[in-house]
Amino acid sequence: MGTKEAIKLFEEKRVRTAWDDEQEKWYFSIVDVVGILTDQPDLDHARNYWKVLKHRLKKEGFESVTNCNQLKFQASDGKRYKTDVADTEQLFRIIQSVPSPKAEPFKRWMAQVAAERIDQMQDPELSIHQAMADYKRLGYSDNWINQRLKSIEIRKDLTDQWRMHNVEEGIQYATLTDIIYQAWAGKTAKEYKQYKGLKKENLRDNMTNEELVLNMLAELSTTSITKAKDPQNLEENMQCATEGGEVARVAREQLESKTGRKVVSPLSAKKFFGAQQSPELLESDTE
């Protein structure tokens, strides 16, 4: 299942969701929904409620409801755990089994979530506005958000070129991306994430403004070089990626020589936002 995760808010309470591009449907974390409908104090209580409800529904013969998919969602401790999820149809059936005054408002909220996604698919500009709102809610600055959205556009231009020049999605995309990172930052994607203390988090979402700009320069240069050289196989595309990354490496080294500090930083968004409460953490990570 190829999914894109998103946090949705119902009456200021978080619902972990995932959009499946292939099936074009939403999946909702059942324990999040059950917790909201039953006013459970925490997810442990919501899990227990769902466990009992799931057993009862199974006894009543609702196999389509109880045979739920599972997705890994991030929990409050920062780790990712397998969580029961339900599509819209399954969730409507579950809601009917939960006595709650919030049932009808929640159904209307679900319909609104679905309608917004359809609108976004028909008008990509709405997706951009939604992405801006999501990043803003997480605490990112307006300047960073603008850079990040531009980086998404540049990345898409690059992958479009790869697709036209016989590069296969998946491992080959990852290989070329690693080459670009290695060329300008001196680290593969895995090494870069480890340097920032990341696991499943998106690397670009944890770059500083300077890192984002240099990575955009590397990918933009790779796109331009690919167009100019018209590579026909993976090896030729790898050479273009190296040359594109080298353009950004030169810029990085010049910037570092002028400022006297390293551009590639161990700072991540997680550390940065945590440092708002503990400034000494930010100081130690940027020394």
Side-chain angles (χ1 to χ4, degrees):
M1 183 189 300
T3 59
K4 297 177 182 177
E5 295 179 28
I7 300 295
K8 300 295 182 180
L9 295 178
F10 172 78
E11 296 182 354
E12 303 305 316
K13 293 184 179 180
R14 291 157 52 96
V15 179
R16 291 168 295 174
T17 70
W19 171 259
D20 187 313
D21 282 322
E22 293 182 3
Q23 300 186 56
E24 295 189 352
K25 63 168 62 175
W26 282 108
Y27 285 91
F28 300 82
S29 166
I30 297 174
V31 293
D32 290 357
V33 175
V34 167
I36 290 171
L37 295 178
T38 59
D39 288 320
Q40 298 296 325
D42 53 50
L43 284 184
D44 285 337
H45 287 81
R47 288 189 192 95
N48 289 334
Y49 189 103
W50 167 233
K51 182 178 180 181
V52 173
L53 177 60
K54 185 177 181 180
H55 180 70
R56 177 165 64 82
L57 289 172
K58 190 171 184 177
K59 286 181 65 177
E60 293 174 0
F62 292 102
E63 294 290 336
S64 62
V65 174
T66 55
N67 292 335
C68 300
N69 289 299
Q70 286 193 325
L71 293 175
K72 278 191 174 182
F73 281 135
Q74 186 172 350
S76 57
D77 62 3
K79 297 180 180 179
R80 299 172 68 84
Y81 301 96
K82 284 186 176 180
T83 304
D84 281 349
V85 296
D87 62 22
T88 304
E89 182 179 351
Q90 290 172 318
L91 198 56
F92 269 121
R93 179 64 190 86
I94 293 170
I95 292 172
Q96 289 173 357
S97 302
V98 179
S100 170
K102 296 180 180 179
E104 289 306 315
F106 198 90
K107 289 179 183 178
R108 290 194 293 271
W109 174 83
M110 285 174 58
Q112 180 182 355
V113 169
E116 286 175 354
R117 181 60 190 176
I118 292 172
D119 289 343
Q120 289 171 6
M121 292 170 67
Q122 294 174 342
D123 184 354
E125 187 175 344
L126 293 174
S127 295
I128 295 174
H129 290 313
Q130 182 62 53
M132 292 180 68
D134 290 342
Y135 280 125
K136 190 74 173 176
R137 187 177 68 249
L138 290 170
Y140 290 95
S141 69
D142 290 340
N143 185 36
W144 185 94
I145 293 170
N146 289 333
Q147 299 285 11
R148 181 69 180 98
L149 294 178
K150 186 64 179 178
S151 76
I152 293 172
E153 177 187 342
I154 290 173
R155 175 69 180 183
K156 184 180 182 304
D157 288 344
L158 175 57
T159 56
D160 285 346
Q161 284 299 312
W162 284 345
R163 193 174 299 110
M164 289 187 289
H165 288 88
N166 305 313
V167 179
E168 297 178 4
E169 290 190 46
I171 294 177
Q172 291 189 359
Y173 276 30
T175 298
L176 295 176
T177 301
D178 266 348
I179 290 172
I180 294 172
Y181 281 138
Q182 184 74 55
W184 83 260
K187 301 178 187 297
T188 64
K190 182 178 180 180
E191 291 168 344
Y192 209 156
K193 292 181 74 170
Q194 289 175 340
Y195 185 58
K196 287 181 173 289
L198 307 174
K199 293 182 179 178
K200 297 290 187 179
E201 298 92 340
N202 184 290
L203 177 56
R204 293 177 183 82
D205 281 352
N206 286 276
M207 287 183 175
T208 65
N209 268 320
E210 289 176 344
E211 290 173 307
L212 264 180
V213 169
L214 286 170
N215 193 63
M216 287 194 299
L217 175 59
E219 294 192 331
L220 180 63
S221 299
T222 302
T223 300
S224 297
I225 293 169
T226 301
K227 289 178 179 178
K229 293 196 170 184
D230 194 24
Q232 296 302 306
N233 53 48
L234 180 60
E235 184 176 353
E236 292 176 357
N237 276 283
M238 290 169 68
Q239 181 60 35
C240 293
T242 299
E243 293 175 7
E246 286 293 320
V247 173
R249 178 188 61 78
V250 172
R252 173 181 64 79
E253 291 177 349
Q254 289 182 345
L255 179 59
E256 289 176 341
S257 70
K258 299 294 184 182
T259 62
R261 58 178 176 76
K262 299 292 186 183
V263 169
V264 177
S265 168
L267 185 63
S268 66
K270 180 169 62 176
K271 291 177 182 176
F272 178 78
F273 295 134
Q276 305 307 302
Q277 286 76 40
S278 303
E280 66 276 5
L281 177 62
L282 181 59
E283 292 170 4
S284 66
D285 280 330
T286 55
E287 289 176 351

